[in-house]
Amino acid sequence: MKTEQHRTTDPRHRSTLRWVVAIATAALLFDGYDLVVYGAVVPVLLRDPSQIGALTAGQAGALGSYALMGVMVGALIAGAVGDHIGRRRVTVAGIVWFSLAMGLSAFATDITVFGILRFLTGIGVGALVVTAGALIAEFAPPHRRNVYNAMVFSGIPAGGVLAALLALLTSGNDGWRALFLFGTAPLVVLLPVALLRLPESPKWLLARGKAARARRLSERTGVPLPDAAADKAEENAKVGFAALATRRYAPATLLLGLMSCSGLLLTYALNTWLPEIMGQSGFGKSYALLFLLTLNGGAIVGAQIASRSADRLGPQWVIITTFVLAAVSLILLTVGLPLAVLLALVAIAGIGTIGTQVLIYGFVSNYYDTVARAAGVAWCAGFGRLGGIGGPIIGGALVSAGFSPRHAFYIFAGVAVFGALVTCFVPRRAAAVTPAPALSVPGPVTGDGASVMAHE
């Protein structure tokens, strides 16, 4: 009997996994693009009332939070339906929804309309975040899930880098509209690929009692299935959010939500307000956007390195370490240091904030079983967005109140310490119902006589 680790050498599985990773990464790239593009255009909107109206720093922070409220709603909706209707449908719907709302934002001429469209954009983003984590957990081999998860969720800071680069290239006060119009690109370049190449998860089909379809899809894609007894236990278990309230998951679910809340508060606060804070420290627009580039670039590189450690050592202690790195680097940013050192500290802060959130999504995706996975990630993304919503608002309140950048960084460092402490108390993953030995899902016979069966 082939083990799942052996089955990863199957060329069909490798090909399927490459397509899933590429599509999920591209989808989350535009999540990161949407996040950072708003922070990049905030200085323009604050200084030019002819764009969407006279905007205060407090209103700008509120506008930044509207998209995050949308993400929370979208994540919770996707979590409620994703474990019931499947990963593929939610992903396709999220791509279409996000692209249309992002494109319409380019034509907004007043604050109210712009705010509504930011909220609607967030709904599509939330759906994509939830399903991306579930897809990787169900298509990637267990011993490489943190690495593949980091690849996919590094699309978020990569999108931030793209937004910062395009913001540097655009000129004129109306350039921000072109940046938002670029957000419609997934309709042309990503949606057709997703429709052609993104399969439904065989493990989800099996967990929902659709064994025949699951076996056929497993044979076509090479994705191994869990054994029959384990699947039967999942099929009879509570599904979606109902599973999160069980004794097995409830304590961890609360702590994982607080972890995500801390990580997303730091992620959205820094991406929204770092250009403005550094501008108040005496750096011009180009330098301020350079800090934004460095923050997200550091997150991309750091998440890849940290994810390999997470696969070897387990994600929990790696996340604690990156939270601590964030706190230390943010405190050191308050010291008058040369530009090169400041950039290095911003890169480390990117690892400890955005990079930490990448690791958290991987941790959560693998913590839950198939029947509760989308709901678990939705809780992480949805409840966590309360922190994301608070990040831009806190930053806006500090800027409006005239606080120095030093005070803002101290507050954000305290959030990082809180995140590290919460992570310490997450219980070990509860063992699933123990299946009977030597049972497997029978599958169609291949040319060499091997049936499609593998243990998860």
Side-chain angles (χ1 to χ4, degrees), residues 113-435:
V113 172
F114 186 73
I116 292 172
L117 290 170
R118 293 296 295 155
F119 175 80
L120 293 176
T121 301
I123 292 177
V125 170
L128 293 174
V129 169
V130 168
T131 49
L135 283 168
I136 295 306
E138 291 166 14
F139 279 92
H143 63 291
R144 298 277 289 171
R145 281 177 183 163
N146 282 295
V147 169
Y148 281 113
N149 186 82
M151 290 180 186
V152 168
F153 279 91
S154 287
I156 296 177
V161 170
L162 176 62
L165 287 173
L166 291 179
L168 283 170
L169 294 175
T170 56
S171 59
N173 287 346
D174 284 328
W176 71 271
R177 297 187 184 277
L179 294 175
F180 277 86
L181 195 59
F182 181 78
T184 61
L187 281 178
V188 179
V189 299
L190 182 57
L191 180 62
V193 178
L195 290 172
L196 289 172
R197 292 292 185 175
L198 182 65
E200 185 52 86
S201 165
K203 294 180 182 178
W204 175 81
L205 288 170
L206 193 61
R208 298 301 294 140
K210 302 175 182 180
R213 286 180 60 193
R215 288 194 296 265
R216 288 195 299 269
L217 191 57
S218 174
E219 178 66 16
R220 180 166 63 85
T221 62
V223 177
L225 295 173
D227 64 60
D231 172 67
K232 190 68 177 176
E234 282 204 24
E235 184 181 340
N236 295 329
K238 292 184 178 179
V239 178
F241 285 112
L244 303 188
T246 62
R247 180 182 298 179
R248 182 182 179 198
Y249 287 132
T253 295
L254 175 60
L255 294 170
L256 290 170
L258 291 173
M259 283 170 57
S260 183
C261 194
S262 302
L264 286 169
L265 188 153
L266 294 170
T267 295
Y268 282 86
L270 289 178
N271 272 300
T272 300
W273 288 108
L274 187 62
E276 185 68 16
I277 290 174
M278 299 313 290
Q280 289 187 6
S281 298
F283 294 95
K285 176 184 176 182
S286 297
Y287 279 111
L289 290 175
L290 177 61
F291 282 113
L292 208 55
L293 276 170
T294 305
L295 181 78
N296 286 276
I300 295 171
V301 175
Q304 302 306 314
I305 297 171
S307 67
R308 284 163 172 77
S309 298
D311 273 329
R312 293 195 307 271
L313 308 173
Q316 194 163 357
W317 286 104
V318 178
I319 291 170
I320 292 169
T321 301
T322 54
F323 263 133
V324 172
L325 282 175
V328 172
S329 61
L330 288 169
I331 290 172
L332 291 176
L333 281 174
T334 64
V335 181
L337 296 169
L339 177 62
V341 179
L342 288 177
L343 288 172
L345 289 172
V346 169
I348 295 172
I351 298 170
T353 55
I354 307 168
T356 296
Q357 190 60 33
V358 169
L359 296 174
I360 290 172
Y361 280 131
F363 187 21
V364 172
S365 298
N366 294 312
Y367 197 91
Y368 296 95
D369 292 322
T370 303
V371 291
R373 184 164 286 130
V377 179
W379 166 259
C380 174
F383 181 79
R385 296 291 160 156
L386 292 175
I389 292 166
I393 293 175
I394 291 171
L398 292 172
V399 171
S400 297
F403 282 95
S404 69
R406 181 178 67 255
H407 292 96
F409 287 135
Y410 284 158
I411 291 173
F412 297 149
V415 173
V417 172
F418 174 78
L421 291 174
V422 169
T423 308
C424 292
F425 293 100
V426 176
R428 292 177 64 86
R429 186 178 185 275
V433 177
T434 302

